[in-house]
Amino acid sequence: MTIEQRLPRFAVLIDADNTSPQIAEGLFEEITKFGEASVRRIYGDFSGQRLKSWAEILQKHAIDPYQQFAYTTGKNASDIALVIDAMDLLHSGRFDGFCLVSSDSDFTRLASRLREQGAEVYGFGAQKTPESFRQACRRFIYTENLLPQAHSEPGAPLRSAPLESPSAAIPVLIKAISQFESEDGWVSLSGVGKQVSNLVSDFDVRTYGAAKLSDLVRRTGAFEIEKAEGGHLRIRAKHPKGRATTPKPAKQRA
């Protein structure tokens, strides 16, 4: 009898002051792609009206609220409580990783510290989140891509107004392709996808209005794409005049 391999366990820690309750459904759906949300905690001052919209959401998704009274103006007790709990959970040794849900750059050092200890760190925040926090996470998912209107019927575009134009993805895709050795410029699309994720923590095809990487590649118009033997897709960059070519590094000026 084979023992079923368990899913990686994640502690989901939400900064209520910097997160909209509208993303809750999409958030936990996203987490199921890479693990299990074993711990679900949210931090904030729920005694006032400002976080009242979280009330029904908490019960629906089994999120435990951690009340932090704002005793002093300008001091964020919620951030401190979240960091303390994260370190306690880390040292318990029970979790494979953490999901930090906030757009606050104050959690940059926490994300770095958790990764230093070997934990996987997934960040979730708005597109305005400072780059320091985004890059400190193994992966960073924009919460705009988790909103209800970001989802549609299978095969249809995910959103009518993408966060970025597909052309904005061209430089990072070309950089990923250039890191593969290929005599004719053709490289595996799946390999490019993995390399892009290593290069840019917040790369997400949904940001560009696509459902999958192959759709994004076609929308850019900058790459050739074909099905190789075995059914695997492969791509290469197009030459400006229509001929395909392998990207070349820019020459340095004397």
Side-chain angles (χ1 to χ4, degrees), residues 186-236:
W186 287 107
V187 298
S188 164
L189 179 64
S190 61
V192 170
K194 293 177 182 178
Q195 189 61 22
V196 166
S197 296
N198 292 332
L199 289 171
V200 186
S201 65
D202 58 355
F203 183 84
D204 190 333
V205 296
R206 292 171 296 186
T207 299
Y208 308 96
K212 51 188 178 181
L213 184 58
S214 59
D215 292 337
L216 174 58
V217 168
R218 291 186 177 95
R219 291 186 186 188
T220 65
F223 304 93
E224 288 186 305
I225 183 168
E226 69 173 21
K227 185 173 292 187
E229 294 182 7
H232 302 294
L233 293 177
R234 61 178 190 168
I235 66 170
R236 67 177 175 181

Side-chain angles (χ1 to χ4, degrees), residues 37-249:
S38 300
V39 165
R40 306 179 179 196
R41 299 180 182 178
I42 188 168
Y43 301 79
D45 186 356
F46 300 97
S47 62
Q49 294 296 313
R50 195 167 65 86
L51 300 181
K52 188 177 180 180
S53 56
W54 274 103
E56 295 181 2
I57 300 295
L58 300 182
Q59 184 176 5
K60 181 179 179 181
H61 296 284
I63 307 172
D64 294 327
Y66 280 63
Q67 171 67 31
Q68 301 298 320
F69 291 101
Y71 294 111
T72 307
T73 303
K75 300 295 183 180
N76 197 336
S78 299
D79 289 4
I80 297 173
L82 190 155
V83 171
I84 292 174
D85 281 5
M87 297 309 296
D88 284 345
L89 292 170
L90 172 68
H91 292 300
S92 73
R94 296 184 292 117
F95 300 94
D96 301 291
F98 293 79
C99 296
L100 304 180
V101 188
S102 178
S103 302
D104 193 340
S105 63
D106 289 347
F107 294 111
T108 300
R109 181 59 187 133
L110 173 62
S112 298
R113 186 71 177 84
L114 293 172
R115 292 189 71 182
E116 287 173 4
Q117 292 297 309
E120 296 280 354
V121 179
Y122 287 74
F124 296 81
Q127 194 178 19
K128 66 180 181 180
T129 304
E131 184 176 9
S132 58
F133 181 32
R134 289 187 275 122
Q135 295 303 322
C137 301
R138 180 184 180 277
R139 277 209 63 204
F140 192 90
I141 294 94
Y142 292 140
T143 51
E144 289 91 343
N145 288 326
L146 304 179
L147 292 171
Q149 61 264 31
H151 301 276
S152 59
E153 295 297 324
L158 286 179
R159 55 168 70 243
S160 57
L163 299 176
E164 297 282 353
S165 167
S167 62
I170 294 175
V172 68
L173 289 171
I174 288 180
K175 185 174 183 180
I177 291 174
S178 69
Q179 295 185 350
F180 289 87
E181 293 184 3
S182 174
E183 294 183 359
D184 57 4
W186 287 107
V187 298
S188 164
L189 179 64
S190 61
V192 170
K194 293 177 182 178
Q195 189 61 22
V196 166
S197 296
N198 292 332
L199 289 171
V200 186
S201 65
D202 58 355
F203 183 84
D204 190 333
V205 296
R206 292 171 296 186
T207 299
Y208 308 96
K212 51 188 178 181
L213 184 58
S214 59
D215 292 337
L216 174 58
V217 168
R218 291 186 177 95
R219 291 186 186 188
T220 65
F223 304 93
E224 288 186 305
I225 183 168
E226 69 173 21
K227 185 173 292 187
E229 294 182 7
H232 302 294
L233 293 177
R234 61 178 190 168
I235 66 170
R236 67 177 175 181
K238 288 181 179 178
H239 186 275
K241 293 184 179 180
R243 291 186 294 108
T245 184
T246 304
K248 295 182 179 179

